[in-house]
Amino acid sequence: MPASREVVFVDGVRTPFGKSGPKGLYAETRADDLVVRVIRELMRRNPALPPERVDEVAIAATTQIGDQGLTIGRSAAVLAGLPKSVPGYAIDRMCAGAMTAVTNVAGGISFGAYDVAIAGGVEHMGRHPMGEGVDPNPRFLSERLVDGSALIMGMTAENLHDRYPSITKERADAYAVASQEKVAKAYADGRIQHDLVPMATRKAAEGWGLATADEPPRPGTTLEGLRTLKTPFRAHGRVTAGNAAGLNDGATGCLVAAEEVAGELGLTPRMRLVSYAFAGVDPEVMGIGPIPSTERALRLAGLTIGDIGLFEINEAFAVQVLAFLEHFGIADDDPRVNPWGGAIAFGHPLASSGVRLMSQLSRHFADNPDVRYGITTMCVGMGMGGTVIWENMA
């Protein structure tokens, strides 16, 4: 049995995220082509890595049909021009798909089965809305295994507001405004662009275009404007399109390697994997998932929340982030949390978002060499949470 090895995050890239629907950036662009673009860019940015040294391509998608089907990790690897000797597979853990792709290949690297792997995710919610083709077993409701709201993410967010009465709509809206402002500033400061790969787009009526920036952000969002939005999941509710992530399209990918192999190949790692954990919660309040997953990851690492100097939390809903912060005694506006904003502004193409969190955390580490530990964490549909703890190598 080989001794376990340290696992490092070398590089991460993503397409700009688009709005789903007929007017969105990628309305007539294939999902697998988004992944292909990401894989090719990872290889272009890391010329020291021989393509034949990639041992696995793990790509997540929540809705694995159509152009997100056909074992997309393998099919995208072939389409991207990697040697036919490079295997690949598809993976699904809903919103934490890309995060799970990373932790899966990391386990293989630590064990010695792989040296280098590509992990990422894609979601084209315009072509494949969440739940397309799904046939939930009637026992879920007939035997009251879950509440009827469990499969409607916006309703689970309303349930979370019920559980945390201190998290008001005003507080959620204020958090959302701050997220939009941080993303706008990060773009103005040129911080986001490093991780984006321009993506060719085509529409029959308009011809060719080039996506170079995220489409979902709404600069200039105000509290006054958010107060007027409808609450579609409950009459007089608190969850709106303004304090939640939208429906989006996009792909992400990263290079993960054994630390010793990265050194041999001349690759520069940005951060080292310390621990990870996934946890299950009641599906009707899936937004609390990051709390137990983070507690478990901290326990496995022998750390406390006080040891964490940077947080990248996926903003599926403002209430879900605020519940996490409240639980751990962290202020809503703590500068360690999502320094460049989050999914409320960037968008959340389900299975791809985990690697966006990692790429941005690695950039924060480079800016803050005095910070040793950071986490990426997210809630997951059907009642789960996922957390990965990283160590700064800047």
Side-chain angles (χ1 to χ4, degrees):
M1 173 101 38
S4 63
R5 302 186 295 177
E6 297 286 359
V7 179
V8 295
F9 180 99
V10 175
D11 196 8
V13 299
R14 66 180 179 90
T15 66
F17 290 167
K19 294 180 180 179
S20 297
K23 296 182 179 179
L25 277 176
Y26 304 125
E28 297 176 39
T29 301
R30 291 180 60 96
D32 48 9
D33 283 338
L34 298 176
V35 183
V36 167
R37 187 75 179 99
V38 164
I39 294 173
R40 286 177 171 169
E41 181 68 6
L42 280 172
M43 301 306 295
R44 187 192 70 81
R45 292 189 184 195
N46 296 275
L49 174 63
E52 65 272 12
R53 289 299 303 271
V54 177
D55 296 317
E56 187 70 276
V57 178
I59 300 296
T62 302
T63 309
Q64 294 187 11
I65 57 177
D67 53 342
Q68 289 180 179
L70 199 62
T71 314
I72 193 165
R74 171 60 173 171
S75 57
V78 173
L79 289 165
L82 291 180
K84 302 292 198 310
S85 58
V86 177
Y89 67 101
I91 194 165
D92 172 29
R93 198 197 295 266
M94 288 197 173
C95 314
M99 176 178 282
T100 304
V102 170
T103 58
N104 272 18
V105 298
I109 291 168
S110 180
F111 182 77
Y114 312 136
D115 285 337
V116 182
I118 291 174
V122 63
E123 209 73 51
H124 198 309
M125 300 179 75
R127 282 177 170 263
H128 307 294
M130 187 176 180
E132 181 186 11
V134 170
D135 179 18
N137 195 304
R139 290 180 51 238
F140 279 124
L141 298 183
S142 65
E143 297 183 16
R144 298 183 180 178
L145 299 176
V146 300
D147 184 80
S149 62
L151 297 179
I152 303 172
M153 298 301 104
M155 292 179 70
T156 71
E158 289 284 4
N159 295 341
L160 200 53
H161 271 290
D162 294 339
R163 183 166 291 196
Y164 287 83
S166 59
I167 304 177
T168 61
K169 181 178 182 299
E170 184 85 2
R171 191 172 157 195
D173 286 348
Y175 182 88
V177 169
S179 182
Q180 294 283 355
E181 290 173 345
K182 287 191 284 186
V183 168
K185 184 177 187 306
Y187 257 107
D189 293 344
R191 312 314 299 272
I192 307 302
Q193 292 86 336
H194 300 295
D195 293 332
L196 301 181
V197 52
M199 179 71 201
T201 63
R202 184 182 180 280
K203 295 183 180 178
E206 300 171 20
W208 288 95
L210 190 67
T212 59
D214 294 305
E215 187 180 22
R218 296 183 294 272
T221 297
T222 64
L223 267 176
E224 293 71 24
L226 294 188
R227 288 191 187 107
T228 67
L229 297 180
K230 297 178 180 178
T231 58
F233 303 104
R234 186 185 296 180
H236 309 292
R238 292 139 297 190
V239 178
T240 71
N243 59 32
L247 304 179
N248 305 108
D249 311 326
T252 63
C254 66
L255 281 179
V256 187
E259 185 171 354
E260 62 194 55
V261 174
E264 291 168 8
L265 293 173
L267 302 171
T268 304
R270 299 188 199 172
M271 55 188 186
R272 181 183 296 113
L273 196 153
V274 178
S275 71
Y276 68 86
F278 295 93
V281 297
D282 289 336
E284 52 266 31
V285 283
M286 65 95 195
I288 64 168
I291 294 173
S293 65
T294 298
E295 290 176 332
R296 176 172 170 78
L298 288 168
R299 186 169 68 251
L300 292 171
L303 300 173
T304 69
I305 199 70
D307 294 314
I308 306 302
L310 287 163
F311 297 81
E312 274 292 331
I313 308 173
N314 194 48
E315 298 171 353
F317 301 93
V319 62
Q320 154 251 316
V321 180
L322 294 171
F324 178 94
L325 299 179
E326 189 160 301
H327 176 85
F328 286 109
I330 300 169
D332 294 4
D333 59 353
D334 191 304
R336 298 173 298 167
V337 178
N338 294 2
W340 296 345
I344 288 172
F346 287 121
H348 173 32
L350 300 183
S352 67
S353 288
V355 165
R356 179 188 67 79
L357 303 178
M358 295 171 191
S359 296
Q360 289 189 196
L361 178 63
S362 73
R363 297 288 184 186
H364 303 326
F365 274 155
D367 291 343
N368 298 274
D370 55 317
V371 172
R372 184 172 182 185
Y373 297 112
I375 70 169
T376 52
T377 188
M378 58 202 314
C379 61
V380 188
M382 280 299 289
M384 292 180 284
T387 300
V388 186
I389 300 179
W390 300 91
E391 183 177 9
N392 194 354
M393 298 181 72

